[in-house]
Every structure is written in structure tokens, then in C-alpha cells.
Amino acid sequence: MRRPHAPSDRPGQATLDQLLTVLAAPAVLLSDPDGQVRPDGAQGLYVGDTRYGSRLEIGVDGADLHARSVPLDDAATARFDGELRGDRGLVRLRRERTLADGHVVDHVELHNVELPDSEASGTVDGVSLRVVVRARSDLAATAVVKSGAPLDVVVPQVGGGGARWSRNGTGAELVVEPAAGEATTVGPDAVLAWPVHLEPGERWSVRLTVGPAGGRPAGFTPAAPIPWTLPAAGAGHLDALLHRSLADLDGLMLADPHAPDGRHDRFTAAGSPWFCTLFGRDSLWTARLLLPLGTELAASTLRVLARRQGRRHDARSEEEPGKILHEVRPGGLRAGGLDLPPHYYGTIDATSLWCCLLHDAWRAGMAEDEVAALLPNLESALAWIARTAGPTGFLTYRGSSGGGLANQGWKDSAGGVRWADGSIAERPLALCEVQGYAYSAAWGGAAVLEAFGHGGAREWLRWADELAVRFRSAFWIDDPAGAYPAIALDAGGRAVTGPASNMGHLLSTGLLTAAEADLVADRLARPDLDGGRGLRTLSSTSAGFDPLTYHCGSVWPHDTAVAVLGLAGVGRHDVARSLGEGLVAAAAEFDDRLPELYAEVDGETSSYPTACRPQAWAAAGAVAVVGYLSGWPLPEWTRGA
């Protein structure tokens, strides 16, 4: 049973948890479950970082249309069936929706059904109707919609063939076929109407197309799905979760228009609708979790990020030579306290994760010439890791001084790193999992360099060993429930108390001894972290615990999946199965489309209303957990460096 949705950390933000998503990145359409796009909250058509349509309702004068969604497997399509029943017959409505090339196409058909005499209460004859479409566009920035800030009205220009909206050089359009018999404006709405007469058995249809005026905006382009190779099918509910997750990953697939020789390297956008773009950390973890299905996504993701690897020092974007970026926003991002440039590098972990993925993909069968082409990027990334670790020997971050992110690990909300007493840890911070990633990057990078005849492998192995010694002396905490690695070291070098899920990421890095891995497994198994529906981000024993917050007690599917595979890799299948089966149980309560995060309260799930759904690494995490529970071979990276 799923509880009512949880409040977001920022009241007033646009909510998603009750909406239906149709997805073909970089486009997303959010509607009510009956298919109507109503002018409420987050509903509408988004392409990249702009909402091009905020209303698209179809109705029949004098009748109350009730439509229902018909389940489909394809993330880019939807269908809604409804009916109008009167004493003279039955008119059925079918609304078929397709999202492609940055536009949504709704094909709406009315059918005057001939009823048997036993069902008709009067003479069956023709039906006259007036079909009305109401459409709106606010051309709002996606981030502004999310924030819940007031939006400006854009008045349309209308005609029988549709409507147009325009502001500051950006335009949206509605095209209708056939042309409407009536066209007018009512405030911000374009109102188009058709008089329709249907004889018994007759059908009438209209085609509605909404999208950016003048074609799809510049930026990342749609990509064809990857032909996944499944090691084995799941069973029952596992199979349903697997195929729903793979369909969502197909819907999130984007191509890099800057790939040379016409090659469109693919990667997954982070999530719908707020993060429908390239995110370094998200795309890397998604590709890593999907390595059992092939190396194509990993190889192309590595190349996409390598093209944007840092080459200079820039304080505003936080670009540095060798650094892998955090996110791309073609027009920048200004909302909710953020002010990000088009290319923003404010991440402490993406560079190490890039190195890890290159090693893992190579071991999984990535073509050697493709690996060799990325060796200069690997050497540059490893050099960034060593420089960033600096004299303390740990990778730390201070956070952005301007409008960027305060926290730069995956728990990037302002209060995401807390002490056991609930107080926020003071930056600069050295996160535990980031040290694990760096260890794995150094070890894996050394293996790749040595295999391809490049120097430096021995030095990187020594660097990794020294990091492990430093970590062992600085991060471990003992409390009455046992020993565990701290979530971070704070500005004073103190280990931040309070068990958190971050320690689960260490299991697959090789940084821990077998005995230490057992201590982590024992701690993850406790009910304060495993509440029965996945892994909590923060222990329920911590004063800052709140399952209805972004990072302080909620459950993130990718976080759970990383822990599950790490636990399996060190042989702790008892804990791995408990967490994995809990995640699968939660997925059933979300119709097998796991969101970015959710709350777990007393063994029941609760929606987090602004959570992206689908989210790439949540879907990839679901695939990884299904694979583990179905007996797929574990990815080699789960066994640690």
C-alpha cells in the first residue's frame, strides 16, 4: 500500500507524483491520467529546459468526457479511451499520443457506435457535437516551473489551422488538421472548435501537434534505442519491472550532435522532466549498472564526457583541467537559488567515476581501439584526482561560492550531510564514497595504463594503497551498534557521526578489507537503514532523519542498487537479497516505474512529489537488482579493485 505523497523540501514546488509521463528525450509530456494537459502545476510539454505547452484539453460541449489511460510498453506513446453515452447511442473517444522529434502529436477520434436494439433506449440516428480544444503555452523555463514561482502569461495568435505563442525569440505552435471551424482567444488560451455530425457507425478525427515553432531547439538530439542483450529473463513481477525500466531508459536516450564523422554517441539523460540533459555522475552510474547488458552505452557515454572534459581553470563554471563535468544546460540555469553556466563542473566524484567506467567497460569487452583513444583523457583525469587530493590526501570540496551547489557529491542538497545530532556538517567535506571511487579509479587506471603500455601504473597503485591507509585511520567510527565508516570528514578533519547509506558504495571499490566489508554489511542490515523498502539514505537513529526529505532518510533506488551489488560482490547475499527484494516490492507500488526517490514509513512507500519519474539511474538500478535476483553473473566491478 502506498501512502499519500510526502511534502517536498520546498513547499510550492510543482509536483509530479500524480501525473502521467510520455517521454522521448529531450521531450517530455506530463498530463493527468486521463490524458488532459491541464493548466496546473507541472503539466505540459517540455523540450530541454523550456515548457512549450502548458495546456491541451479536448472536450465536447454539453458532455463530461471521462477517459482512462490504456497501459502501453513504449515510453514515447500513450492511449486514452473514453465515451459519451446518451439515450440515442454511444460515442466512443480514442486519444492516441506520440512524442517524437520534440513534438507531441495527439490523434483524437470520435466513433458513433451502432448499439444493438437491446441496448439502445431510443431511435439510433445521427449525433451532432461541438468539439472544443483549449491550448496554452507559457514558454517558461523548466527550472522556474519546478520552483513554483509565478509565471507570465503569453497571449496566442490564432487561426483555423492552429495557434502560435512567442516571447523573447522563443516560440511554440499548435497545428490542427483539419482546420477548426472556429478560432478565438480567451485570456492566455487558444480556443478552437469544430461542429461535428456523426451518423451511426461514422467516425471523425482531428490531429493536434504541439511543439517548438521552427523545429526542435539546438542541443542534444533524440537517439535510437540500444538493442539490449539480456543475460536471462526475469520471472513474473521481475520481468515486468525489467521491461518497464528498459523502456524508460530507451525514452531517456540522447545523442551527442558534436560526435565526429556523423557518429551520434548515445547517453542517458538524467531524468524527466527536470534533468532531461547530460549529467556526468548520473550518466556514468547508469552505464556502469547496465554493463551486464553490453558495453555500447558505456563506451559512448565515456566519449561524450571526454569531449567536454575540463581544459582550463574557470572559477564560475568550476572547470579545471582533467575534470569531468556535472551537467550541461545550453541556456544556463537560473532558478531556486541556482545560477549555473551552460557547462557546470561542480562535482567531486564524476572524474573518478569516469576512470572507473573506462576500466570496467574495458574488462567487460569494450573494443581496445576505443579504449586506446581515451587514454589521454584517462591520464588527464587521474592527474586531476591527484591534484585535488593535495596535501591532505583526500578528495574534498568547498562547494560553489556563487550560485552553484553547496554539496558536490551525489547527496547534493544543502543539508545532505549531517551529524548524528542533526546539525549540518561544515565544509570543506571529504565524502567516504568519493575516497572509494578515487581508490578504484587509481587501481583501475593503473591496470588500463599497464595493459596499453603506458607508464605510471606502479605510482598509481602506490597512491591507492596510501589512500587506503589514510582512510582506515580517519574515517572509522565506533558506537554501541558497531563500527562503520563515517559519511564524511568535516572542515576540521573530524569523522561525521551518524550511519548513512554512503558506506554501501565502498563495498565495490576495493578500499575495504574483508573484515571491514562485513562490518559495513552488518550495519546496512540493521532496521534503521533497511526499513523493508530499500536502503534509507540516513539512519532512523539520527536526529536529522526524516524520510520525507531529499537526502536525509528517503530511499533512492540507484543507491540501494549500488549497495545490493556491492554486498553480493563481497558474499553478503543475506543483506543483498533483503535490500533488493525490498526495492522490488516498492517498485510494484509505483507500477514498476521507480521514481528518483521515495519515502518509506513503517514499511509502506510514499511519493516524493517533485521526484523525477522516470530517472535514468533509478531505472538502471532496477535492472541491476532484477539481474541479481534473477541470477545474472555479477559485474566484475562489484568485486572491488
Side-chain angles (χ1 to χ4, degrees), residues 419 474-479 482-488 494-498 523:
W419 289 83
F475 271 83
W476 281 85
I477 291 173
D478 274 305
D479 70 10
Y484 64 93
I487 185 175
R494 299 174 300 169
V496 177
T497 57
R523 201 59 191 251

Side-chain angles (χ1 to χ4, degrees), residues 336-354:
L338 294 176
D339 183 7
L340 305 184
H343 288 75
Y344 175 59
Y345 288 77
T347 170
I348 191 64
D349 53 12
T351 306
S352 295
L353 288 170
W354 188 94

Side-chain angles (χ1 to χ4, degrees), residues 355-356 359-360 362 378 382 439-449 461 641:
C355 299
C356 293
H359 168 264
D360 300 339
W362 166 60
L378 172 64
L382 289 170
Y439 176 91
S440 189
W443 191 95
V448 174
L449 292 173
L461 291 175

